[in-house]
């Protein structure tokens, strides 16, 4: 039933700012993305919200962003479902193949999701980001209170001056750590509530926007 409800949703975009790594000394701002195509590969995927094979990644033709589409990311509470269904998480480790002479940060994230929360139920979405071997960013948390039966959205912003870039010439996996929760709260526990980040038709995805810089010539 839930799967059929989610089919065809046109979700609203939401934004979340990321912090990444310090650039190599001398990197200068590039006016546009590199022309050579960027490739993003899934290195590993782990978590109760994303079994292997349930997360797909695609890069925009103009290298401005990449999208992640989940097919099984759903947290549920109430209605007789097991308590373990109330919290789902996903750790996605990505290999970003960047054209020579460029470095990047992920400057903005647009999440797309749908919530069906009974009056008094609570939904939560969390995310943090980090490069391999580095500390995670502060976790960004968005809460939603029922009643809700619609696309959900949340916005985090960070100014351009706060962006930090990956070191030039180094390959480190970019890790995305997300969590989705559904809680009964004060709602009728016999009625089902859920929060979804998944899509059966590709209409719901998360968009990660690149910010580019040119590396110094060596």
């Amino acid at each position: 039933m839930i799967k059929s409800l989610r089919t065809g949703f046109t979700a609203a975009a939401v934004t979340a700012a990321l912090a990444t790594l310090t650039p190599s000394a001398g990197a200068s701002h590039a006016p546009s993305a590199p022309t050579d195509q960027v490739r993003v590969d899934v290195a590993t995927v782990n978590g109760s919200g994303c079994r292997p094979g349930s997360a797909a990644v695609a890069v925009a033709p103009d290298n401005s962003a990449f999208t992640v589409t989940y097919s099984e990311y759903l947290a549920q509470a109430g209605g007789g479902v097991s308590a373990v269904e109330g919290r789902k998480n996903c750790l996605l480790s990505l290999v970003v193949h960047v054209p020579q002479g460029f470095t990047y940060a992920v400057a903005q994230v647009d999440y797309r999701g749908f919530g069906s929360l009974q009056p008094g139920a609570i939904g939560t979405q969390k995310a943090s980001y980090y490069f391999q071997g580095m500390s995670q960013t502060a976790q960004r948390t968005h809460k939603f209170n029922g009643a809700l039966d619609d696309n959900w959205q949340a916005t985090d912003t960070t100014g351009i001056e706060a962006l930090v870039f990956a070191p030039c010439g180094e390959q480190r996996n970019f890790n995305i750590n997300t969590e989705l929760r559904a809680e009964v709260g004060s709602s009728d526990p016999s009625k089902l509530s859920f929060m979804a980040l998944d899509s059966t038709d590709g209409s719901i995805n998360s968009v990660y926007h690149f910010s580019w810089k040119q590396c110094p010539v060596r």
Side-chain angles (χ1 to χ4, degrees):
M1 178 179 176
I2 292 175
K3 281 290 184 184
S4 63
L5 284 173
R6 289 197 303 275
T7 302
F9 289 149
T10 304
V14 296
T15 56
L18 306 182
T20 52
L21 299 180
T22 303
S24 298
S28 60
H29 184 67
S32 60
T35 55
D36 291 342
Q37 186 60 47
V38 174
R39 193 174 87 246
V40 180
D41 297 326
V42 178
T44 59
V45 56
N46 293 288
S48 55
C50 57
R51 293 186 305 112
S54 68
V57 180
V59 180
D62 63 357
N63 293 332
S64 62
F66 65 91
T67 63
V68 178
T69 304
Y70 301 96
S71 61
E72 299 180 357
Y73 208 159
L74 172 73
Q76 307 175 77
V81 302
S82 171
V84 299
E85 295 299 314
R87 177 188 178 275
K88 295 298 178 73
N89 73 296
C90 181
L91 177 56
L92 195 61
S93 184
L94 304 176
V95 181
V96 181
H97 301 275
V98 177
Q100 186 174 6
F102 283 85
T103 183
Y104 75 95
V106 177
Q108 175 178 302
V109 184
D110 300 330
Y111 285 103
R112 304 172 187 264
F114 187 87
S116 179
L117 300 174
Q118 298 295 328
I122 303 167
T124 306
Q125 186 265 337
K126 298 181 180 182
S128 60
Y129 316 87
Y130 62 101
F131 281 96
Q132 183 178 7
M134 305 297 292
S135 298
Q136 294 192 35
T137 63
Q139 195 170 60
R140 280 63 188 265
T141 301
H142 310 287
K143 285 190 175 291
F144 306 88
N145 297 314
L148 174 69
D149 189 29
D150 202 350
N151 302 314
W152 55 261
Q153 62 181 31
T155 302
D156 288 336
T157 57
T158 296
I160 294 175
E161 71 282 354
L163 286 177
V164 195
F165 289 77
C168 288
E170 293 190 21
Q171 180 67 66
R172 303 196 188 199
N173 289 8
F174 179 63
N175 299 311
I176 303 168
N177 193 8
T178 57
E179 180 181 322
L180 206 58
R181 287 179 182 263
E183 299 173 82
V184 171
S186 61
S187 69
D188 182 346
S190 69
K191 295 183 178 180
L192 181 69
S193 293
F194 70 84
M195 291 285 289
L197 261 177
D198 70 343
S199 174
T200 57
D201 62 359
S203 65
I204 296 178
N205 52 38
S206 303
V207 184
Y208 296 78
H209 297 270
F210 287 120
S211 181
W212 293 101
K213 282 189 177 183
Q214 288 181 327
C215 295
V217 177
R218 296 181 178 179

